[in-house]
């Protein structure tokens, strides 16, 4: 039987030296594991920016630097992910145009916070390189976009 093929867009969203991770919902493929944010289908650059803003919690008054990371395929036993990756790098500081907005936006993008979900998560965290290597176990499906891409 031929495996089902699914198109995915993988987002390597970074703020300074940290990378955004999302805890996947408990049920389903890779349930409960930490992962890079992902969208169904292959997105245009404009759609990627909108999706990044969605994952980060609000429309940002700063702009990130967007770079394509190329294509990759990950094969599971019953399906294939045909992925396109994008890196978007936001500056560590400078969120918001006014000081009060900057404080609010940084607070909203804090180290750990929950996203709305029907059950209990997912939870998103900003992880530095050491945490990505030692604290969070990232499924192999994402390694093409994670390993060696940080800080470049």
């Amino acid at each position: 039987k031929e495996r089902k093929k699914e198109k995915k867009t993988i987002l390597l969203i970074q703020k300074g030296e940290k990378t955004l991770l999302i805890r996947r919902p408990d049920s389903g493929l890779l349930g409960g594991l930490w992962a890079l944010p992902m969208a169904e289908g292959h997105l245009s650059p404009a759609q990627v920016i909108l999706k990044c803003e969605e994952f980060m919690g609000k429309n940002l008054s700063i702009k990130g630097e967007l770079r394509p990371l190329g294509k990759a395929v990950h094969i599971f036993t019953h399906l294939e992910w045909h992925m396109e990756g994008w890196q978007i790098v936001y500056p560590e500081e400078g969120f918001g145009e006014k000081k009060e907005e900057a404080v609010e936006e940084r607070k909203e993008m804090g180290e750990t916070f929950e996203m709305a979900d029907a059950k209990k998560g997912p939870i998103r965290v900003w992880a530095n390189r050491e945490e990505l290597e030692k604290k969070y176990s990232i499924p192999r499906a994402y390694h093409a976009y994670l390993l060696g891409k940080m800080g470049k």
Side-chain angles (χ1 to χ4, degrees):
K1 185 179 172 183
E2 194 171 322
R3 281 186 289 269
K4 182 180 173 188
K5 294 175 173 63
E6 296 180 355
K7 292 180 179 179
K8 306 285 185 185
T9 298
I10 308 298
L11 305 173
L12 182 63
I13 303 173
Q14 296 177 308
K15 177 181 70 165
E17 296 294 312
K18 296 188 175 185
T19 298
L20 184 65
L21 296 179
I22 305 290
R23 192 174 70 200
R24 294 178 58 86
D26 288 336
S27 61
L29 188 63
L30 306 177
L33 298 177
W34 290 101
L36 295 174
M38 181 173 71
E40 298 297 322
H42 290 161
L43 304 185
S44 70
Q47 290 172 317
V48 167
I49 290 167
L50 290 173
K51 188 56 75 172
C52 287
E53 290 174 351
E54 186 181 307
F55 277 113
M56 292 173 62
K58 69 185 294 186
N59 288 329
L60 299 172
S61 54
I62 59 154
K63 298 295 173 217
E65 183 182 340
L66 187 66
R67 300 181 193 123
L69 294 177
K71 299 175 188 277
V73 175
H74 188 78
I75 299 174
F76 297 93
T77 54
H78 60 296
L79 82 119
E80 297 178 13
W81 281 359
H82 290 253
M83 303 175 287
E84 289 184 356
W86 290 89
Q87 179 184 37
I88 187 160
V89 180
Y90 293 97
E92 180 75 41
E93 297 298 326
F95 286 87
E97 292 169 10
K98 300 183 187 126
K99 190 173 180 186
E100 312 82 66
E101 287 177 18
V103 169
E104 278 306 304
E105 289 189 15
R106 277 203 300 277
K107 196 184 298 176
E108 194 162 314
M109 294 176 57
E111 298 309 306
T112 307
F113 46 97
E114 296 201 14
M115 284 176 67
D117 186 85
K119 294 184 181 174
K120 66 169 191 178
I123 291 173
R124 47 190 178 170
V125 296
W126 291 100
N128 62 32
R129 181 189 290 268
E130 185 178 346
E131 290 170 328
L132 285 170
E133 292 172 358
K134 298 187 172 138
K135 183 174 180 181
Y136 300 102
S137 178
I138 314 294
R140 289 185 60 85
Y142 300 93
H143 286 193
Y145 297 110
L146 190 60
L147 303 180
K149 303 283 187 205
M150 290 193 57
K152 288 188 179 176

